[in-house]
Amino acid sequence: MTKLITIIAMFVASIVSAQTQFDQGMQKALQTWKDGNSKEALVQFEKIASVEKTNWLPNYYIAFINTTQAFGEKDKAKKVTLLNAAQKAQDVCNELAQDNPEVLVLQAMIHTAWIVYDPMTNGQKLSGDVLYILNKAYKIAPENPRVVFQKASFEKGMAEYFGQDAKPMCAQIEKSIELFATFKPESAFHPSWGLDKAQEAVKTCK
């Protein structure tokens, strides 16, 4: 009996230790990213991902950081490299967290970045996919502010492109801002970004 209790205690201790290492690693990587050192943050997230093979969060941030950098990158070759790296990490998320609204939103963002990269080629090819993914995410989590914002933002862009009324989308962006005020992520490491982007976007509605 004593041996069994010892084995159980050691097993529990190993789980707690692993969780503590994960928490510490994620905290450090997220802080590095918030401090503006995206390159080092990516290295840290990749290190965590290599150990935590069943947790989608490290790869989520790898994909997210690469995608956000791609949106701001003017060099087309670098943009392609960033988006390919993003999709590689995203593929892991898609496998580990199927039908997760946060993961779906990020996949839609990657597709959107490809549309921005080459509107003439990728607009027609990927716009339908983006709308499908965002509508799917909305059905799963209609109260998730990132889902509401990204869906409204993409639809607003399409409406403006085709000369259509964007007021309904602006109303949804305003709704997302309200949702950000009450939304609680599952943990300190789950996605919580987007409020600043929604606040910037709503200004273009007026």
Side-chain angles (χ1 to χ4, degrees):
M1 179 63 79
T2 303
K3 185 179 288 186
L4 178 61
I5 292 173
T6 302
I7 292 172
I8 293 173
M10 290 177 65
F11 177 70
V12 171
S14 67
I15 293 175
V16 172
S17 175
Q19 188 63 32
T20 301
Q21 289 176 4
F22 172 76
D23 290 352
Q24 291 175 346
M26 289 294 290
Q27 286 172 352
K28 183 179 178 181
L30 285 168
Q31 189 58 53
T32 301
W33 175 41
K34 289 175 183 177
D35 289 343
N37 193 344
S38 297
K39 187 175 181 180
E40 178 59 29
L42 282 170
V43 171
Q44 292 171 2
F45 281 123
E46 286 167 357
K47 183 177 180 180
I48 299 168
S50 69
V51 177
E52 300 287 336
K53 295 185 181 296
T54 60
N55 192 319
W56 59 273
L57 285 169
N59 275 292
Y60 174 91
Y61 286 104
I62 294 169
F64 183 74
I65 293 171
N66 278 300
T67 302
T68 52
Q69 286 185 325
F71 274 110
E73 180 58 60
K74 294 182 179 180
D75 185 294
K76 286 211 162 191
K78 290 180 180 178
K79 191 185 288 280
V80 169
T81 299
L82 289 167
L83 288 177
N84 284 337
Q87 189 61 59
K88 182 179 179 181
Q90 179 68 24
D91 288 342
V92 178
C93 294
N94 291 343
E95 182 68 27
L96 293 175
Q98 295 179 16
D99 296 336
N100 182 301
E102 302 286 4
V103 172
L104 289 169
V105 164
L106 186 49
Q107 182 63 77
M109 285 179 63
I110 295 172
H111 285 339
T112 302
W114 279 115
I115 294 172
V116 172
Y117 168 76
D118 189 346
M120 294 300 292
T121 302
N122 296 331
Q124 186 174 0
K125 183 169 67 173
L126 292 175
S127 291
D129 289 346
V130 173
L131 287 171
Y132 173 80
I133 292 168
L134 291 174
N135 282 324
K136 182 178 181 180
Y138 188 79
K139 287 179 182 178
I140 297 169
E143 300 302 310
N144 183 306
R146 275 165 298 285
V147 171
V148 175
F149 169 64
Q150 287 298 135
K151 182 175 182 292
S153 180
F154 188 79
E155 290 176 345
K156 177 175 177 288
M158 290 192 68
E160 290 172 344
Y161 180 80
F162 291 108
Q164 299 170 348
D165 184 12
K167 287 183 181 178
M169 296 78 175
C170 287
Q172 286 296 300
I173 292 174
E174 290 177 354
K175 178 185 175 182
S176 77
I177 293 174
E178 295 174 3
L179 291 172
F180 273 112
T182 57
F183 183 84
K184 293 183 179 179
E186 289 183 38
S187 76
F189 309 129
H190 279 70
S192 60
W193 59 270
L195 176 59
D196 57 336
K197 296 180 183 298
Q199 290 171 331
E200 288 176 14
V202 82
K203 293 177 183 177
T204 66
C205 291
K206 299 173 182 177

